[in-house]
Amino acid sequence: MARPAGPVRLSPPAWLTAGLKPAPTPIPWAAVLRASVALSAPLAVGLAVGQPAYGALVSMGALSGVIGDTADAYRMRVFNIAVPQLFGAIGVTLGTLVFGQGWLAVAALTLVALVSGMISSIGAVASVSGLLLLLNAVVGAGLPMPDPWWKAPLLLTLGGLFVLVLTLLGWPLRRAAPERSAVAATYRAVADLYEATGTASYDDKRHAVTASLNHSYDLILAHRARQHGRASALVRLLAQLNVVIPLAEAAPAAHLRAQLYGPLSAAIPAAVRELADAVEEGRTGTPVLDLPTPERPAEKAVDHALRHAATVVHKAEPDPYNVDDRLGRPAALRVRVRRATRAVLFSEASWRYGLRLALCIGLAQALVSLIAVPRSYWVALTVTFVMKPDFGSVFSRAVLRAFGTALGLLLAALVLAEVPRGWWDVPVMCVLAALVPAFSAKGYAFQTAAITPVILLLSDTLNQEGFNLVMPRLYDSLIGCGIALIAGYLLWPESWHTRIGDKLADAVADAAAYVACAFTGDAAAHGGDGGARLRSRRKLYRDLSGVRSEFQRALTEPPPTGARAAAWWPLVVAVERIVDATTAARIRVDHGAPAPDPAEVASVERELRELSAGLRESDILVEVRTELPGDENGVLEPLRQEVRAARAIAGPDLR
């Protein structure tokens, strides 16, 4: 007799709820304190001098500074806060000039949105600058600002500068401390990687190493001095970071060795952690290493890399071996400006994002300015946040924005209903502002929930609507989310027809080139091509990190994009393992293993290029059985296994 079916449990799909889980990140307490002071102090000053609206505008500028302060290094924070403030001042000026102007306001904000979307593709600072340009233009066009026209941009800029001053208070005492901590964290990530060799957690630890290396290089290279004598501390940190690359390169060989012969000695990760402590504390002297005697090629590679790193880390001179960075020196400022301008004006992606954002903002502002229905600037404000092209999936952000706004408005309703306006605004803002950096680290929905009551409280200081503005703002947010979903998502086939196949095909082609670079000629084994191989590997891992992020973003899209990304995900992992296996083989050859036959290398490269071509021609994964002849006991056998696994990933059932 058949057993009765159990109750059907209805639950939303994972792609819909993925962003509602708080990220397991620590709370940035320094940023929490800084935000609390930066947003509440201007309100107190405004109330004290009888100009609460002025204080609210300064606090709005401070909120922009808090949102833009995303860097660790002080040199980068100056740039990350000051430059967006300039664009924010321009935005609020343009918005103020078209306040209440109907069609003129629609045209102006549409043009600003086009520029904002286009410049957002340049980089992180440009992205925040584009956000503040449009955000402040929307606020200026939607809220009455004090006369004359220059007061609003001046007050907003003062708020941003206040955040900058608070941020730089620790610079005289800490200086290169953020960069030093980042490099030490990279060493600790490598130690965790060696501890995970031979285990299932190895891949996750390798991803952490890649992310940490990217972060450390970005911090040090972005603003390092061109002449060594001007910034010896940064040059020394760069040398210490460079020598962690051979350690990371030796890890795949160590992982293979641990799978075959058992775990590595615990002395190896312990020695790497000791180096991390030495980097963070700035210790010098003669290194003392108690390491086991290496026997196999992989063990020799680890031993050699670790001893070299110890020598450089403990060396007092800033640049003991005149090592250069692995990513190339930054170009001159005029060259970077020229490249950025060309990228904005002639990039298809730049125009595509700009036009999408302009269409949505134009519709939102037309609804506010031209239709005789009470609607507020909150519609365009919602579109601005949802449609930011580099903030993730538009669909996911629209859902999360609606959820976060509802939570934020609930908190704002409690404040506006129960707390009398006036001096009570200061302690309330002190608490609400502290939630912004604390919740921003947890995810987009939580950031929205934290920012919403702050903006509502500040805007109410300007227009004095009180509790009555809560429900209209919820309706406006839902309308803005609807505009973003329809005009910014459904009308653009690229949104729901994923382009991840092209990105993955590029990564596979780069992996094929890396295989050829690693085993072409004998020069690589003697350092002649070693620098090229290191740079190729660093670039490849950085690109793979971007591909992984793109796939993770696609996983939050509704079908078919999310389903297709999930189906292709194993191939992303397979490509990463191919790169690891290539590195492991090269390291083993460098330390005594017999070199592979050139014909074996050529056959592996050919298979990868065929795989890359196949990915460009089809959206469906099709299994390909491949034969890769070669020495089963040679160094390329693990690489051939990974290539076979990549070619054998099948998907006829994924249609």
Short mmCIF file of all heavy atoms in Angstrom, two decimals, residues 467-513:
data_model
loop_
_atom_site.label_atom_id
_atom_site.label_comp_id
_atom_site.label_asym_id
_atom_site.label_seq_id
_atom_site.Cartn_x
_atom_site.Cartn_y
_atom_site.Cartn_z
N PHE A 467 4.96 62.17 9.93
CA PHE A 467 4.58 60.77 9.77
C PHE A 467 3.83 60.52 8.47
O PHE A 467 3.83 59.40 7.95
CB PHE A 467 3.70 60.35 10.96
CG PHE A 467 3.30 58.91 10.94
CD1 PHE A 467 4.17 57.92 11.38
CD2 PHE A 467 2.05 58.53 10.46
CE1 PHE A 467 3.80 56.58 11.35
CE2 PHE A 467 1.67 57.20 10.43
CZ PHE A 467 2.55 56.22 10.88
N ASN A 468 3.23 61.55 7.92
CA ASN A 468 2.43 61.37 6.70
C ASN A 468 3.24 60.95 5.49
O ASN A 468 2.67 60.54 4.48
CB ASN A 468 1.69 62.68 6.39
CG ASN A 468 0.65 63.01 7.44
OD1 ASN A 468 0.08 62.12 8.06
ND2 ASN A 468 0.42 64.30 7.66
N LEU A 469 4.56 61.06 5.55
CA LEU A 469 5.36 60.71 4.37
C LEU A 469 5.72 59.23 4.31
O LEU A 469 6.26 58.77 3.30
CB LEU A 469 6.63 61.56 4.31
CG LEU A 469 7.66 61.50 5.45
CD1 LEU A 469 8.52 60.25 5.43
CD2 LEU A 469 8.55 62.73 5.40
N VAL A 470 5.41 58.47 5.36
CA VAL A 470 5.88 57.08 5.42
C VAL A 470 5.23 56.22 4.34
O VAL A 470 5.91 55.61 3.51
CB VAL A 470 5.63 56.48 6.82
CG1 VAL A 470 5.98 54.99 6.80
CG2 VAL A 470 6.46 57.21 7.85
N MET A 471 3.91 56.11 4.31
CA MET A 471 3.25 55.24 3.34
C MET A 471 3.45 55.71 1.90
O MET A 471 3.71 54.87 1.01
CB MET A 471 1.75 55.13 3.66
CG MET A 471 1.48 54.33 4.92
SD MET A 471 2.29 52.70 4.92
CE MET A 471 1.46 51.92 3.54
N PRO A 472 3.38 57.03 1.60
CA PRO A 472 3.69 57.44 0.21
C PRO A 472 5.09 57.03 -0.23
O PRO A 472 5.28 56.69 -1.41
CB PRO A 472 3.54 58.96 0.27
CG PRO A 472 2.57 59.21 1.36
CD PRO A 472 2.86 58.16 2.38
N ARG A 473 6.06 57.05 0.70
CA ARG A 473 7.41 56.64 0.31
C ARG A 473 7.47 55.15 -0.03
O ARG A 473 8.23 54.72 -0.90
CB ARG A 473 8.40 56.97 1.42
CG ARG A 473 8.60 58.45 1.68
CD ARG A 473 9.08 59.17 0.43
NE ARG A 473 9.20 60.59 0.67
CZ ARG A 473 8.25 61.50 0.45
NH1 ARG A 473 7.08 61.11 -0.04
NH2 ARG A 473 8.45 62.77 0.70
N LEU A 474 6.69 54.34 0.69
CA LEU A 474 6.63 52.92 0.37
C LEU A 474 6.05 52.71 -1.02
O LEU A 474 6.59 51.93 -1.82
CB LEU A 474 5.80 52.17 1.41
CG LEU A 474 5.60 50.67 1.16
CD1 LEU A 474 6.95 49.95 1.10
CD2 LEU A 474 4.71 50.06 2.22
N TYR A 475 4.95 53.41 -1.33
CA TYR A 475 4.36 53.29 -2.66
C TYR A 475 5.35 53.75 -3.73
O TYR A 475 5.49 53.11 -4.78
CB TYR A 475 3.07 54.12 -2.74
CG TYR A 475 2.03 53.75 -1.74
CD1 TYR A 475 1.17 54.72 -1.19
CD2 TYR A 475 1.88 52.43 -1.30
CE1 TYR A 475 0.20 54.37 -0.26
CE2 TYR A 475 0.91 52.08 -0.37
CZ TYR A 475 0.08 53.06 0.15
OH TYR A 475 -0.87 52.72 1.09
N ASP A 476 6.03 54.87 -3.45
CA ASP A 476 7.00 55.38 -4.42
C ASP A 476 8.13 54.38 -4.65
O ASP A 476 8.61 54.21 -5.79
CB ASP A 476 7.58 56.70 -3.93
CG ASP A 476 6.55 57.83 -3.96
OD1 ASP A 476 5.51 57.65 -4.61
OD2 ASP A 476 6.80 58.87 -3.31
N SER A 477 8.58 53.73 -3.58
CA SER A 477 9.65 52.74 -3.73
C SER A 477 9.20 51.56 -4.58
O SER A 477 9.94 51.07 -5.43
CB SER A 477 10.10 52.24 -2.35
OG SER A 477 10.73 53.26 -1.62
N LEU A 478 7.97 51.10 -4.35
CA LEU A 478 7.47 49.98 -5.15
C LEU A 478 7.32 50.38 -6.61
O LEU A 478 7.60 49.58 -7.51
CB LEU A 478 6.12 49.51 -4.58
CG LEU A 478 6.18 48.92 -3.16
CD1 LEU A 478 4.78 48.53 -2.69
CD2 LEU A 478 7.11 47.72 -3.11
N ILE A 479 6.88 51.62 -6.87
CA ILE A 479 6.78 52.09 -8.25
C ILE A 479 8.16 52.15 -8.89
O ILE A 479 8.36 51.73 -10.04
CB ILE A 479 6.11 53.48 -8.30
CG1 ILE A 479 4.64 53.36 -7.89
CG2 ILE A 479 6.23 54.10 -9.68
CD1 ILE A 479 3.95 54.70 -7.71
N GLY A 480 9.15 52.67 -8.15
CA GLY A 480 10.52 52.72 -8.67
C GLY A 480 11.06 51.35 -8.98
O GLY A 480 11.72 51.14 -10.01
N CYS A 481 10.81 50.38 -8.09
CA CYS A 481 11.26 49.00 -8.34
C CYS A 481 10.57 48.44 -9.59
O CYS A 481 11.19 47.73 -10.39
CB CYS A 481 10.96 48.12 -7.13
SG CYS A 481 11.97 48.47 -5.68
N GLY A 482 9.27 48.76 -9.76
CA GLY A 482 8.56 48.29 -10.94
C GLY A 482 9.12 48.87 -12.22
O GLY A 482 9.28 48.16 -13.23
N ILE A 483 9.46 50.17 -12.21
CA ILE A 483 10.06 50.79 -13.39
C ILE A 483 11.40 50.13 -13.72
O ILE A 483 11.70 49.84 -14.89
CB ILE A 483 10.24 52.30 -13.15
CG1 ILE A 483 8.88 53.00 -13.12
CG2 ILE A 483 11.12 52.93 -14.23
CD1 ILE A 483 8.96 54.46 -12.74
N ALA A 484 12.21 49.88 -12.68
CA ALA A 484 13.51 49.26 -12.91
C ALA A 484 13.36 47.85 -13.48
O ALA A 484 14.11 47.44 -14.37
CB ALA A 484 14.31 49.23 -11.61
N LEU A 485 12.38 47.09 -12.97
CA LEU A 485 12.20 45.72 -13.45
C LEU A 485 11.72 45.68 -14.90
O LEU A 485 12.18 44.86 -15.69
CB LEU A 485 11.19 45.00 -12.55
CG LEU A 485 11.70 44.48 -11.22
CD1 LEU A 485 10.57 43.88 -10.40
CD2 LEU A 485 12.80 43.45 -11.42
N ILE A 486 10.80 46.60 -15.25
CA ILE A 486 10.23 46.55 -16.60
C ILE A 486 11.14 47.24 -17.61
O ILE A 486 11.57 46.65 -18.60
CB ILE A 486 8.83 47.21 -16.60
CG1 ILE A 486 7.87 46.39 -15.72
CG2 ILE A 486 8.28 47.30 -18.03
CD1 ILE A 486 6.52 47.03 -15.52
N ALA A 487 11.46 48.53 -17.33
CA ALA A 487 12.23 49.31 -18.30
C ALA A 487 13.73 49.04 -18.23
O ALA A 487 14.45 49.28 -19.20
CB ALA A 487 11.96 50.80 -18.11
N GLY A 488 14.21 48.56 -17.09
CA GLY A 488 15.65 48.33 -16.94
C GLY A 488 16.05 46.88 -16.97
O GLY A 488 17.24 46.58 -16.95
N TYR A 489 15.05 45.98 -17.01
CA TYR A 489 15.38 44.55 -16.98
C TYR A 489 14.68 43.79 -18.11
O TYR A 489 15.33 43.27 -19.01
CB TYR A 489 15.00 43.97 -15.62
CG TYR A 489 15.33 42.50 -15.47
CD1 TYR A 489 16.63 42.09 -15.20
CD2 TYR A 489 14.35 41.52 -15.59
CE1 TYR A 489 16.95 40.75 -15.06
CE2 TYR A 489 14.65 40.18 -15.46
CZ TYR A 489 15.94 39.79 -15.19
OH TYR A 489 16.25 38.47 -15.07
N LEU A 490 13.36 43.76 -18.09
CA LEU A 490 12.63 42.92 -19.04
C LEU A 490 12.76 43.41 -20.47
O LEU A 490 12.73 42.60 -21.41
CB LEU A 490 11.15 42.85 -18.64
CG LEU A 490 10.86 42.14 -17.32
CD1 LEU A 490 9.37 42.19 -17.00
CD2 LEU A 490 11.33 40.69 -17.37
N LEU A 491 12.88 44.72 -20.66
CA LEU A 491 12.97 45.26 -22.03
C LEU A 491 14.34 45.07 -22.66
O LEU A 491 14.51 45.38 -23.85
CB LEU A 491 12.60 46.75 -22.03
CG LEU A 491 11.15 47.10 -21.67
CD1 LEU A 491 10.93 48.59 -21.79
CD2 LEU A 491 10.16 46.33 -22.54
N TRP A 492 15.30 44.57 -21.90
CA TRP A 492 16.66 44.41 -22.41
C TRP A 492 17.01 42.93 -22.39
O TRP A 492 17.30 42.36 -21.34
CB TRP A 492 17.65 45.20 -21.54
CG TRP A 492 17.34 46.66 -21.52
CD1 TRP A 492 16.40 47.29 -20.76
CD2 TRP A 492 17.97 47.68 -22.30
NE1 TRP A 492 16.39 48.63 -21.02
CE2 TRP A 492 17.34 48.90 -21.96
CE3 TRP A 492 19.00 47.68 -23.24
CZ2 TRP A 492 17.72 50.11 -22.53
CZ3 TRP A 492 19.37 48.88 -23.82
CH2 TRP A 492 18.74 50.08 -23.47
N PRO A 493 16.97 42.25 -23.55
CA PRO A 493 17.22 40.80 -23.59
C PRO A 493 18.54 40.40 -22.95
O PRO A 493 18.66 39.29 -22.43
CB PRO A 493 17.21 40.49 -25.08
CG PRO A 493 16.37 41.56 -25.68
CD PRO A 493 16.65 42.79 -24.87
N GLU A 494 19.53 41.28 -22.97
CA GLU A 494 20.82 40.93 -22.36
C GLU A 494 20.68 40.66 -20.87
O GLU A 494 21.51 39.99 -20.27
CB GLU A 494 21.81 42.07 -22.56
CG GLU A 494 21.44 43.31 -21.76
CD GLU A 494 22.31 44.49 -22.08
OE1 GLU A 494 22.62 44.71 -23.24
OE2 GLU A 494 22.68 45.18 -21.14
N SER A 495 19.62 41.18 -20.24
CA SER A 495 19.43 40.99 -18.81
C SER A 495 19.10 39.54 -18.50
O SER A 495 19.58 38.99 -17.50
CB SER A 495 18.30 41.89 -18.30
OG SER A 495 18.58 43.24 -18.53
N TRP A 496 18.24 38.95 -19.33
CA TRP A 496 17.82 37.59 -19.01
C TRP A 496 18.32 36.56 -20.02
O TRP A 496 17.94 35.41 -19.98
CB TRP A 496 16.30 37.53 -18.90
CG TRP A 496 15.57 38.41 -19.85
CD1 TRP A 496 15.28 39.74 -19.68
CD2 TRP A 496 15.01 38.05 -21.12
NE1 TRP A 496 14.59 40.22 -20.76
CE2 TRP A 496 14.39 39.21 -21.65
CE3 TRP A 496 14.96 36.87 -21.84
CZ2 TRP A 496 13.75 39.21 -22.88
CZ3 TRP A 496 14.32 36.87 -23.06
CH2 TRP A 496 13.73 38.03 -23.57
N HIS A 497 19.21 36.99 -20.95
CA HIS A 497 19.99 36.05 -21.76
C HIS A 497 21.44 36.23 -21.35
O HIS A 497 22.09 37.17 -21.75
CB HIS A 497 19.81 36.32 -23.26
CG HIS A 497 18.47 35.91 -23.78
ND1 HIS A 497 17.93 34.67 -23.55
CD2 HIS A 497 17.54 36.58 -24.52
CE1 HIS A 497 16.74 34.59 -24.12
NE2 HIS A 497 16.48 35.74 -24.70
N THR A 498 21.91 35.32 -20.55
CA THR A 498 23.22 35.50 -19.94
C THR A 498 24.36 35.57 -20.95
O THR A 498 24.33 34.92 -21.99
CB THR A 498 23.50 34.36 -18.96
OG1 THR A 498 24.81 34.52 -18.41
CG2 THR A 498 23.44 33.02 -19.64
N ARG A 499 25.37 36.38 -20.65
CA ARG A 499 26.57 36.49 -21.48
C ARG A 499 27.75 35.81 -20.78
O ARG A 499 28.90 36.03 -21.15
CB ARG A 499 26.89 37.97 -21.71
CG ARG A 499 25.80 38.70 -22.46
CD ARG A 499 26.05 40.19 -22.46
NE ARG A 499 27.31 40.54 -23.08
CZ ARG A 499 27.47 40.78 -24.38
NH1 ARG A 499 26.43 40.68 -25.18
NH2 ARG A 499 28.64 41.12 -24.87
N ILE A 500 27.45 34.98 -19.80
CA ILE A 500 28.53 34.38 -19.02
C ILE A 500 29.34 33.39 -19.85
O ILE A 500 30.50 33.14 -19.55
CB ILE A 500 27.98 33.67 -17.76
CG1 ILE A 500 26.86 32.70 -18.13
CG2 ILE A 500 27.48 34.69 -16.76
CD1 ILE A 500 26.26 31.97 -16.95
N GLY A 501 28.72 32.83 -20.92
CA GLY A 501 29.46 31.89 -21.75
C GLY A 501 30.67 32.53 -22.40
O GLY A 501 31.75 31.93 -22.48
N ASP A 502 30.53 33.77 -22.88
CA ASP A 502 31.65 34.46 -23.51
C ASP A 502 32.77 34.71 -22.51
O ASP A 502 33.96 34.56 -22.84
CB ASP A 502 31.18 35.79 -24.10
CG ASP A 502 30.28 35.60 -25.32
OD1 ASP A 502 30.35 34.52 -25.92
OD2 ASP A 502 29.52 36.53 -25.64
N LYS A 503 32.42 35.11 -21.30
CA LYS A 503 33.44 35.37 -20.28
C LYS A 503 34.18 34.08 -19.93
O LYS A 503 35.40 34.08 -19.76
CB LYS A 503 32.78 35.96 -19.03
CG LYS A 503 32.15 37.32 -19.26
CD LYS A 503 31.54 37.85 -17.98
CE LYS A 503 30.84 39.19 -18.22
NZ LYS A 503 31.79 40.25 -18.59
N LEU A 504 33.43 32.99 -19.82
CA LEU A 504 34.07 31.71 -19.50
C LEU A 504 34.93 31.24 -20.66
O LEU A 504 36.03 30.69 -20.44
CB LEU A 504 33.00 30.67 -19.16
CG LEU A 504 33.51 29.31 -18.67
CD1 LEU A 504 34.44 29.47 -17.48
CD2 LEU A 504 32.34 28.42 -18.30
N ALA A 505 34.49 31.46 -21.89
CA ALA A 505 35.29 31.08 -23.06
C ALA A 505 36.61 31.85 -23.08
O ALA A 505 37.67 31.29 -23.40
CB ALA A 505 34.51 31.33 -24.34
N ASP A 506 36.56 33.12 -22.73
CA ASP A 506 37.80 33.90 -22.64
C ASP A 506 38.75 33.31 -21.60
O ASP A 506 39.97 33.24 -21.83
CB ASP A 506 37.48 35.36 -22.28
CG ASP A 506 36.77 36.09 -23.40
OD1 ASP A 506 36.87 35.64 -24.56
OD2 ASP A 506 36.11 37.11 -23.12
N ALA A 507 38.19 32.90 -20.47
CA ALA A 507 39.03 32.32 -19.41
C ALA A 507 39.67 31.01 -19.86
O ALA A 507 40.84 30.74 -19.57
CB ALA A 507 38.20 32.10 -18.15
N VAL A 508 38.91 30.18 -20.59
CA VAL A 508 39.47 28.92 -21.09
C VAL A 508 40.57 29.19 -22.10
O VAL A 508 41.62 28.52 -22.09
CB VAL A 508 38.35 28.05 -21.71
CG1 VAL A 508 38.95 26.80 -22.35
CG2 VAL A 508 37.33 27.65 -20.65
N ALA A 509 40.37 30.17 -22.99
CA ALA A 509 41.41 30.52 -23.96
C ALA A 509 42.66 31.02 -23.25
O ALA A 509 43.80 30.70 -23.65
CB ALA A 509 40.88 31.57 -24.93
N ASP A 510 42.49 31.81 -22.20
CA ASP A 510 43.64 32.28 -21.42
C ASP A 510 44.35 31.12 -20.73
O ASP A 510 45.58 31.12 -20.60
CB ASP A 510 43.18 33.31 -20.38
CG ASP A 510 42.75 34.62 -21.01
OD1 ASP A 510 43.11 34.85 -22.18
OD2 ASP A 510 42.04 35.40 -20.34
N ALA A 511 43.57 30.13 -20.29
CA ALA A 511 44.18 28.96 -19.67
C ALA A 511 45.03 28.19 -20.69
O ALA A 511 46.11 27.68 -20.36
CB ALA A 511 43.10 28.05 -19.08
N ALA A 512 44.55 28.10 -21.92
CA ALA A 512 45.33 27.44 -22.98
C ALA A 512 46.64 28.19 -23.22
O ALA A 512 47.70 27.58 -23.37
CB ALA A 512 44.50 27.37 -24.26
N ALA A 513 46.55 29.52 -23.26
CA ALA A 513 47.77 30.31 -23.45
C ALA A 513 48.72 30.15 -22.27
O ALA A 513 49.95 30.13 -22.44
CB ALA A 513 47.39 31.79 -23.62
#
